[in-house]
Amino acid sequence: MFRCFMGAMKEIRNIVILTGAGVSAESGIGTFRDKGGLWEKHRVEDVATPEGFARDPDLVLGFYDMRREAIQKAEPNAAHFALAKLEAEWPGAFLLVTQNVDDLHGRAGNRQLIHMHGEHLNALCSACGTRSPWRGTLADRPACPACGASALRPDVVWFGEMPYRMDEIELALSACDLFVSIGTSGAVYPAAGYVRTARHYGALTLELNLEPSAGSLYFDDSRHGLATEIVPAWVEEMLALPQMSA
Ligand code: NAD
C-alpha cells in the first residue's frame, strides 16, 4: 500500500520515527535542557559519562535512582498513544527509534521500538554484562541477579559510549521513505545525524518539535507546537492519506 505525502508525489511505505525528551515532557519528565530541571542541577560530565561514574558512583547511582522512581509515576501522553496507533494501523514498515530512556512508548503500545540510549528500567552488570529488568534502587549496591556481583549500573548509554542497535537503525534509515523527528533538540549524535542519512537515501523528512531544532534546515517540512497536539494531528493526517496503488 502506498500513499502520497507532503505534496510530493512520493510513495510512502516505510516510516522511521526518531523521538527525544520533548515527547515525554508533557508526561512530567523533564527534558535535558529544561530550566530548573533535574539536569540543570548537575553537570553532564558528572552524571552522564563513564568518567563521572568512576569519580563519584554514589552521586551517579543516586541521580538515576531518582529518575527511575520518577518515570514509574509518569503516564504516556497523547503523543505516545498517537504513535502507538500509527504503528498499529500503518500498512507499511514502521520503526520507532527513541533516545528516551523512559518506558512510555512501550506502555502506550509501540512494539517496533528501539531504545538506542538504553532504558531506566534495566540494570546493566559491569561484571558479567547481563541486562536485568530493574525497578528499585542501585545506590545500595544490590547483587546482580545473574552473577551475584555488586556491580550494577543504570543501563543508560552515557556520553562516550556506543548506542544500542546502530546497525538495525542504519538499515531502516536506508530503506525508509519518510523520516520523522519528534521532540529532540538535534544536539546529541549519532541521532542528530539520522535526518541527513535518511535524506541521503532519498527519504522525505519532517520535524515535529516545540521549536526549530539544531538540524532544522535538513527537514523538508517542520511543524512547531506541543507534542500532545501536533503528533496526534499528524498521525490522523497520515492515516487519512489517499492510497495511491496497491
Ligand atoms: P533535549 O532536551 O536536548 O531536547 C528536547 C527537545 O524537545 C527540545 O528541542 C525542545 O524544544 C523540545 N520540546 C520540549 N517540550 C516539548 C513538547 N511539549 N512538545 C514538543 N517538543 C518539546 O532532548 P533530546 O534531544 O532527547 O536529547 C537529550 C538526551 O537526554 C537524550 O540522549 C536522552 O536520552 C536524554 N533524556 C531522556 C529523557 C527521557 O527519557 N524522557 C529525558 C531527558 C533527557
Side-chain angles (χ1 to χ4, degrees):
M1 189 176 293
F2 302 107
R3 299 172 191 223
C4 162
F5 181 57
M6 285 163 55
M9 287 307 287
K10 167 136 179 108
E11 295 173 342
I12 307 292
R13 186 181 181 90
N14 303 339
I15 303 177
V16 174
I17 295 174
L18 172 72
T19 62
V23 86
S24 294
E26 291 164 83
S27 292
I29 302 177
T31 67
F32 215 31
R33 290 161 184 81
D34 264 350
K35 290 272 175 297
L38 200 51
W39 289 96
E40 208 174 53
K41 300 185 189 114
H42 297 280
R43 294 187 326 147
V44 165
E45 298 81 359
D46 291 336
V47 294
T49 63
E51 295 78 14
F53 183 48
R55 257 195 319 272
D56 192 345
D58 288 332
L59 171 81
V60 175
L61 293 174
F63 174 79
Y64 286 93
D65 282 352
M66 272 195 296
R67 291 192 63 80
R68 193 177 309 103
E69 191 184 344
I71 70 148
Q72 292 180 72
K73 293 182 185 144
E75 296 294 337
N77 64 45
H80 298 106
F81 285 118
L83 294 176
K85 178 177 179 185
L86 184 60
E87 179 183 323
E89 297 183 19
W90 183 253
F94 176 99
L95 178 66
L96 176 55
V97 178
T98 187
Q99 299 168 87
N100 293 344
V101 289
D102 65 51
D103 65 339
L104 299 184
H105 283 308
R107 272 200 265 153
N110 281 109
R111 294 295 170 263
Q112 299 301 319
L113 173 63
I114 292 181
H115 277 276
M116 65 179 291
H117 289 167
E119 296 179 64
H120 267 321
L121 297 185
N122 278 343
L124 173 67
C125 180
S126 308
C128 73
T130 300
R131 299 163 81 184
S132 306
W134 206 266
R135 291 188 171 267
T137 52
L138 292 176
D140 48 342
R141 307 296 199 282
C144 167
C147 74
S150 292
L152 295 175
R153 56 161 275 187
D155 186 20
V156 165
V157 176
W158 287 325
F159 288 95
E161 296 182 323
M162 187 67 84
Y164 289 119
R165 299 170 69 180
M166 299 271 282
D167 291 352
E168 281 171 76
I169 297 170
E170 292 283 334
L171 194 64
L173 288 171
S174 72
C176 77
D177 305 304
L178 175 65
F179 172 80
V180 188
S181 171
I182 306 175
T184 173
S185 60
V188 178
Y189 280 82
Y194 288 166
V195 59
R196 273 171 280 174
T197 307
R199 274 179 82 95
H200 171 78
Y201 286 106
L204 288 174
T205 54
L206 169 68
E207 169 170 75
L208 304 175
N209 203 40
L210 200 54
E211 60 201 359
S213 71
S216 220
L217 73 162
Y218 297 110
F219 290 90
D220 296 310
D221 192 10
S222 293
R223 300 178 191 181
H224 302 133
L226 293 170
T228 54
E229 294 172 5
I230 60 178
V231 177
W234 170 71
V235 165
E236 291 310 318
E237 201 181 309
M238 287 301 291
L239 293 175
L241 285 172
Q243 196 176 314
M244 289 174 66
S245 61

